[in-house]
Amino acid sequence: MPKPILLSVDDDSNVLRAIERDLRSQYGAKYRVMGSDSPESALDILKQLKVRNDTVALLLADQRMPRMDGVHFLQEAMGIYPDAKRALLTAYADTNAAISAINDVGINYFFLKPWDPPAERLYPQLDDMLDDWQASYRPAYEGIRVLGTRWSPRSYELRDFLARNHVPYQWIDVELTANDPETKRTLDSLGPEAQNLPIVLFPDGTRLLESLPAQVAQKVGLRTRAQTSFYDLAIVGGGPAGLAAAVYGATEGLHTVMIERQAPGGQAGMSSRIENYLGFPTGLSGADLARRAVYQAQRFGVEILAPQEVTGVRTEGPYRILKLGDSSEISCHALLIATGVQWRRLDAPGIDRLQGAGVYYGGGATEAFSCKGEIVYVVGGANSAGQAAMNFAKYADRVVLLVRSDSLSSTMSKYLIDQIQQTPNIQLWTHASVAEVHGESHLEEISVRCSDTNKIERVPATAIFIFIGALPQTGWLRDLVQRDERGFILTGPDLMRNAQRPEGWTPDRDPFLLETNVPGIFAVGDVRHGSVKRVASGVGEGSVAVQFIHKYLSKV
Ligand SMILES: Cc1cc2nc3c(=O)[nH]c(=O)nc-3n(C[C@H](O)[C@H](O)[C@H](O)COP(=O)(O)OP(=O)(O)OC[C@H]3O[C@@H](n4cnc5c(N)ncnc54)[C@H](O)[C@@H]3O)c2cc1C
């Protein structure tokens, strides 16, 4: 924990050095001693310290300074650090000014120059003040702070990114906390820069204005660039299937890299509670599963690049070469595609405009806390929607689950239907679909089409979470890898036509179970045609694929 600061200000450099020396020798173990030879630059220092969330315990200023006297300086400094103890250094002639400052502007003490011996004329009074300060001192938050507004899509994207990558941060909604004095002081200290939201403030004083996930990723040390240009195994996608393959690949001696566009965990990372994964009888959150899997993969030496997107692939003889979002390339002998599926967009007027400002796809775990006391709509009738409804019901006043059909029984697991029925603040609205969403800067109302009454109802809403099925995004594979009409990748037996191997296939064997039409390129998990869309099946496929990869590599 950084030490609280004692700041002294004196335009006479000899006096400044003497006071710093005396403060350091007595208090240096517990406090950081700083000095400034002008009140103006001392105020600048205080603003910098405020932005870094440092704590100032004591301000000690000389009364006679050109341009700004000590009393005036301490008054200004109070606006930045109101809880710091304030003391004046005065000559005998200025004692009247010092006494009236004690009464008028709340200065705690004044010291007469010279203060020798300090053991009698400085330390006892300072001890008193600092003891007093310590009694009400609450250590400031030391980590990353994100300043933004709830309805800003960029703020949402950033918070979601940090949460999914397990980077701890403190969220400061500058609109919601506009009347909070501490927020005001931080914004004042930022000056005109405070306009450039979202802002990320780091404990080392770095600030990122209009900050983007990729910039923050770099600053917090998430690796986005490969360490070498060649790997035995490259895995695209860091969901359960990709993570399982990474762990098995690395434990079995393959030099492995895993490239993930957003955050390891994939769709499972958005799940508030996975209840059907073997070995976790009381369930676990997707974030927890992802965190454990990432540690496990890293422990075995897997290199994880995230956030980093794979945008293309080509083959050159036995090499499979990936093009990344930053235009760099890495090559490998075996490539495993585990890119899963992404949410289908809801086609209704207003949806695209308000995305990130009340309209969210998927879990929106970061938003759950903000929905306290509000009415939240969840669209979809599958397990993912049910889990989300259960999660939001912990915070929201009411959760309305909008489903097209007349019940949940054909689309949702029984255990979830039971939980929903037992949760009084979840309301099921059947025969319902979203016709339009309304709002200027953020969602305010939604129009719901009721297929049983043929009417459209307009209802107030602050947040709508959409879970209406998902499709693979495999366009980056172009014509290299065979896919079905919806974009899912064909593997193994699905590639055989009338007992014929796929066109262009050269090895003297059929494609392995999880291999695509290109030897050495494999596909696992939700992205694979015919896959069972579950965490356990993705993990199973990812693990099994490594056996086939070994067989393939033994002949390369
Ligand atoms: C909210 C929710 C709750 C769920 N609950 C359960 C449950 O309780 N039990 C259960 O068994 N299943 C559940 N599922 C389903 C389960 O999460 C999925 O079946 C599983 O995550 C699929 O794993 P995957 O690795 O194949 O793909 P995904 O989890 O989809 O991961 C794919 C990853 O690839 C990345 N990616 C995509 N394209 C690229 C690219 N070009 N470059 C780099 N990276 C890329 C994506 O960002 C993503 O992280 C749930 C799903 C959701 C959404």
Side-chain angles (χ1 to χ4, degrees), residues 237 239-241 260-261 266-267 276 310 340 343 387 525-526 533-535:
E260 164 55 49
R261 173 166 70 178
Q267 296 169 70
N276 54 1
V310 176
W343 293 109
Q387 283 181 9
D526 282 13
K533 311 260 175 309
R534 288 284 181 271
V535 174

Side-chain angles (χ1 to χ4, degrees), residues 2 127 173 207 282 302 353 396 413 456 554:
D127 284 348
D173 183 329
R207 57 189 83 165
T282 55
V302 176
R353 190 172 55 82
S413 298
I456 289 190
S554 68

